[in-house]
Amino acid sequence: MALAATATAAGSAFSMMAAPQVSQSRVVALASGPSPAAPSGAGVAGVTGLVGAGLVASAALSRSAKPRSGKKNLVSMAARGGESSDALVKDLEALVKEKDCGAILVRLSWHDAGVFSDGKLKGGCPNAAMRFTDGGEGTFGANAGLPDVALGLLKPITEKYVPDTIGHADLWTLAANVAIKVMGGPDIKTRFGRKDAESSADSVESQVGRLPDGDKEIDHLREIFHPKGFTDKDIVALSGAHTVGSCHLDRSGFDGPWTEAPLKFDNSYFKEMLAKKYAEDTTEKGNPQFKDSETGTIMLISDLALLKEPAFKEHVEKYAADQDAYFKDFTAAWVKLQELGCSGLRDSLCHLAAGQGASGVRMGDYAGADVGEAL
């Protein structure tokens, strides 16, 4: 089947949770959302407004010698990045609309960043390590469908913009935020400067203890999310990303969409969770889940667990009643998730100070660029 056709049927689905650890292939994952409320115009669409001014200022700082033999002109590269940033966002918007693949792009960003832990396990960060499939994160069962389908969908954009305009990890972050907005969700401010993995060796050791399981209860959710710095409220907010996407047997072993409009990012996940009657169900892969017989939508054990404790249920009820409140809290938790383990992130896509070129390219690789030639 053509890739375009599989984007919705198999690739765009995600789950906040990984499946049982009995088999690493029986896994689903979570996708989550945004960043703290940004000023008007400072979200996805506003990502490029900061670039042009930064390029002009940066160009004024650098003059002189010819580029080293065999090296690109740094300022030319940065200028192309500035000119391309609006086009990058537009290309991502077009991809999401054409392929209905927003959910898998959200899942890609979630799994890239969500391996971080500061508890018994340490380390992890969004570094695009999944693009290496000889080992590490590119082979995790929880990431099934991401190295092939998700990156396959992004491939034309990756080839067009990486590395001159943006790095892999920053692209995955931006793609998720663009997707959330296109699907009707909040406008999320993206910051840049993540360092790309150089090989699969830059992966974390395992998904175990880092990514959540869909067949487990509240204690497990806290064990996974609290070491990342998230509160119970954050866990509920991030779980709300299940409002888009579906589970697939060949990825997670679970089967079905959470909501009746799985391509729309809203608060339906919470509304339907409270309104519907879910019966126990077992998928063809043997995984336990819950299903609404009238609509065919599902909930995982980890989803309905949010109704079992007042500390979680109060937020479910709040978000079901107030979408704006949900978007606000989701944005704050999502931005935190996307920036776990990162430091020195910046608002502008291109930045030539502090030894860095566009998307983290080291200045030393392009030393001696001549500003006059670039302009």
Side-chain angles (χ1 to χ4, degrees), residues 6 13 30 35 47 52 68 83 145 164 203 229 245 250 253 259 263-264 271-272 280-281 307 315 353-354 368:
T6 61
L30 148 85
S35 89
V47 119
R68 291 179 186 172
E83 294 166 357
D164 285 3
S203 299
D250 60 342
T259 67
L263 297 177
K264 184 178 181 181
K271 288 182 175 181
E272 295 185 26
E280 291 185 1
D281 181 50
L307 300 179
H315 300 298

Side-chain angles (χ1 to χ4, degrees), residues 22 52 71 81 100 138 174 188 213 215 237 279 290 302 332:
V22 177
K71 301 295 183 181
D100 287 337
L174 179 61
I188 302 163
D213 298 337
D215 66 335
F290 295 88
S302 53

Side-chain angles (χ1 to χ4, degrees), residues 191-260:
R191 297 203 300 163
F192 304 95
R194 292 162 187 78
K195 181 180 171 66
D196 287 337
E198 297 181 359
S199 73
S200 60
D202 291 327
S203 299
V204 296
E205 75 293 336
S206 171
Q207 69 192 47
V208 179
R210 294 179 180 272
L211 297 176
D213 298 337
D215 66 335
K216 292 184 174 61
E217 302 275 359
I218 289 299
D219 287 347
H220 172 72
L221 295 181
R222 285 175 169 151
E223 288 170 0
I224 294 294
F225 285 97
H226 285 184
K228 303 182 194 298
F230 291 114
T231 64
D232 289 348
K233 181 177 76 171
D234 295 331
I235 294 173
V236 179
L238 290 173
S239 298
H242 281 167
T243 198
V244 294
S246 303
C247 291
H248 294 279
L249 286 172
D250 60 342
R251 302 289 160 79
S252 65
F254 300 113
D255 188 25
W258 285 270
T259 67
E260 295 177 43

Side-chain angles (χ1 to χ4, degrees), residues 64-275:
S64 102
K66 299 291 183 183
R68 291 179 186 172
S69 176
K71 301 295 183 181
K72 294 181 180 179
N73 181 300
L74 173 61
V75 181
S76 294
M77 183 184 85
R80 288 198 302 276
E83 294 166 357
S84 300
S85 53
D86 282 326
L88 169 56
V89 171
K90 290 179 181 178
D91 283 351
L92 288 169
E93 291 173 342
L95 175 67
V96 173
K97 292 174 183 177
E98 180 183 350
K99 305 295 185 182
D100 287 337
C101 62
I104 199 171
L105 297 181
V106 174
R107 179 183 168 219
L108 179 66
S109 178
W110 154 246
H111 281 253
D112 190 33
V115 293
F116 173 88
S117 181
D118 193 28
K120 294 179 181 179
L121 300 172
K122 300 290 184 181
C125 65
N127 63 1
M130 266 184 279
R131 70 191 196 277
F132 302 106
T133 57
D134 60 320
E137 294 173 38
T139 64
F140 289 177
N143 295 336
L146 296 177
D148 48 4
V149 178
L151 297 191
L153 288 162
L154 276 177
K155 184 177 180 181
I157 294 176
T158 301
E159 292 177 342
K160 185 175 181 180
Y161 294 102
V162 176
D164 285 3
T165 300
I166 194 168
H168 292 279
D170 281 345
L171 174 61
W172 297 4
T173 301
L174 179 61
N177 293 347
V178 169
I180 288 168
K181 183 179 179 184
V182 169
M183 292 187 290
D187 189 6
I188 302 163
K189 182 180 176 67
T190 304
R191 297 203 300 163
F192 304 95
R194 292 162 187 78
K195 181 180 171 66
D196 287 337
E198 297 181 359
S199 73
S200 60
D202 291 327
S203 299
V204 296
E205 75 293 336
S206 171
Q207 69 192 47
V208 179
R210 294 179 180 272
L211 297 176
D213 298 337
D215 66 335
K216 292 184 174 61
E217 302 275 359
I218 289 299
D219 287 347
H220 172 72
L221 295 181
R222 285 175 169 151
E223 288 170 0
I224 294 294
F225 285 97
H226 285 184
K228 303 182 194 298
F230 291 114
T231 64
D232 289 348
K233 181 177 76 171
D234 295 331
I235 294 173
V236 179
L238 290 173
S239 298
H242 281 167
T243 198
V244 294
S246 303
C247 291
H248 294 279
L249 286 172
D250 60 342
R251 302 289 160 79
S252 65
F254 300 113
D255 188 25
W258 285 270
T259 67
E260 295 177 43
L263 297 177
K264 184 178 181 181
F265 197 103
D266 57 16
N267 65 339
S268 293
Y269 169 79
F270 302 107
K271 288 182 175 181
E272 295 185 26
M273 181 185 293
L274 293 173

Side-chain angles (χ1 to χ4, degrees), residues 304-326:
L304 294 185
L306 302 179
L307 300 179
K308 293 185 176 181
E309 282 195 26
F312 289 82
K313 186 177 181 180
E314 66 174 296
H315 300 298
V316 173
E317 294 173 335
K318 177 182 177 180
Y319 298 152
D322 188 343
Q323 181 169 280
D324 289 341
Y326 166 55

